Amino acid sequence: AQTVTQSQPEMSVQEAETVTLSCTYDTSESDYYLFWYKQPPSRQMILVIRQEAYKQQNATENRFSVNFQKAAKSFSLKISDSQLGDAAMYFCAYSFRGGAQKLVFGQGTRLTINP
Amino acid sequence: DSGVTQTPKHLITATGQRVTLRCSPRSGDLSVYWYQQSLDQGLQFLIQYYNGEERAKGNILERFSAQQFPDLHSELNLSSLELGDSALYFCASSVDRGESPLHFGNGTRLTVT
């Protein structure tokens, strides 16, 4: 079975600084998706970024970028120029490509932004 | 706003009772997913419907059932409720069977007392 592990329960960063959240996963599949979701206090799950495993290029969305290391099964999220609105729980997730999006989530990392 | 609407926002009920959670997907989306977020289990996939038919099942208990109606809204029915069913239940929708990103609603917070 696929598993997703986030080893950092909590992280904090100064406003305007850069922070990296870690995620590792385990799968025997070769074609899959990886995601980072953000859950602010409003509790809505918001998609931050998506990476397709067959693409070698790391995905980026404005201030958010990933470091996807397929062989190491590692998928970290870098947030540049951190803003107060980035404070949230961040979840790493996996889904097999070619079927339903049965997302497997990590335990989450709570990110605090210090002004 | 994701465009996915879930009602009610909060629900408090007693053990042994039955409740129905409702979800309206984004306009044009054919797939509806249900996820459960609890303190001990984290976020778990429950079930997916695509255009009215069940497409995939996850860790959904036999006491739980769901359906998707012709207008594409979906309902999740939880029966014989136990304290451990207390959780945040999310609905998400997507335009296709499984390639496009999911858009989540704000969830229904269920408290079983």
Side-chain angles (χ1 to χ4, degrees):
Chain A
Q2 294 83 10
T3 58
V4 176
T5 302
Q6 293 178 250
S7 59
Q8 306 153 316
E10 295 185 355
M11 293 279 285
S12 64
V13 65
Q14 290 296 125
E15 195 176 1
E17 297 292 306
T18 295
V19 64
T20 299
L21 308 184
S22 301
C23 172
T24 59
Y25 60 95
D26 189 26
T27 182
S28 58
E29 304 293 342
S30 59
D31 201 5
Y32 48 86
Y33 295 111
L34 293 165
F35 307 82
W36 279 98
Y37 278 90
K38 169 185 176 181
Q39 187 177 36
S42 65
R43 81 191 188 193
Q44 186 182 6
M45 296 292 288
I46 301 166
L47 178 63
V48 174
I49 203 163
R50 181 173 90 154
Q51 175 78 42
E52 295 167 66
Y54 67 88
K55 289 187 177 177
Q56 293 190 342
Q57 187 172 5
N58 289 324
T60 62
E61 286 289 339
N62 301 314
R63 298 182 295 107
F64 299 86
S65 62
V66 297
N67 183 3
F68 173 47
Q69 302 287 330
K70 192 171 184 179
K73 294 181 182 171
S74 167
F75 183 62
S76 61
L77 174 71
K78 185 171 84 171
I79 306 174
S80 303
D81 185 26
S82 297
Q83 300 175 1
L84 294 178
D86 295 333
M89 281 289 287
Y90 285 81
F91 292 94
C92 179
Y94 162 100
S95 78
F96 168 64
R97 187 163 184 254
Q101 283 204 39
K102 298 162 66 172
L103 294 170
V104 177
F105 285 91
Q107 307 92 315
T109 296
R110 182 174 301 282
L111 179 64
T112 302
I113 312 295
N114 300 313
Chain B
D1 183 10
S2 68
V4 178
T5 304
Q6 288 188 248
T7 56
K9 288 193 172 75
H10 304 276
L11 200 47
I12 302 174
T13 189
T15 54
Q17 295 298 305
R18 181 180 188 276
V19 297
T20 298
L21 313 184
R22 183 188 168 99
C23 169
S24 294
R26 285 192 325 162
S27 176
D29 283 0
L30 298 178
S31 271
V32 169
Y33 296 75
W34 288 96
Y35 283 83
Q36 179 197 58
Q37 184 177 28
S38 64
L39 282 175
D40 53 348
Q41 303 277 357
L43 274 154
Q44 288 194 102
F45 166 73
L46 296 179
I47 198 163
Q48 179 207 6
Y49 279 82
Y50 175 78
N51 204 19
E53 297 203 357
E54 183 184 304
R55 174 158 168 76
K57 232 172 181 175
N59 297 325
I60 188 166
L61 300 171
E62 284 192 13
R63 300 183 285 108
F64 296 0
S65 65
Q67 54 183 327
Q68 186 180 27
F69 294 87
D71 67 351
L72 300 177
H73 91 270
S74 178
E75 292 180 357
L76 179 67
N77 300 296
L78 315 176
S79 62
S80 303
L81 285 167
E82 301 174 359
L83 295 178
D85 298 327
S86 295
L88 189 52
Y89 291 85
F90 282 108
C91 170
S93 72
S94 71
V95 67
D96 53 30
R97 287 184 178 86
E99 288 294 313
S100 298
L102 303 187
H103 299 269
F104 282 80
N106 285 347
T108 292
R109 168 73 70 190
L110 173 66
T111 302
V112 183
T113 62

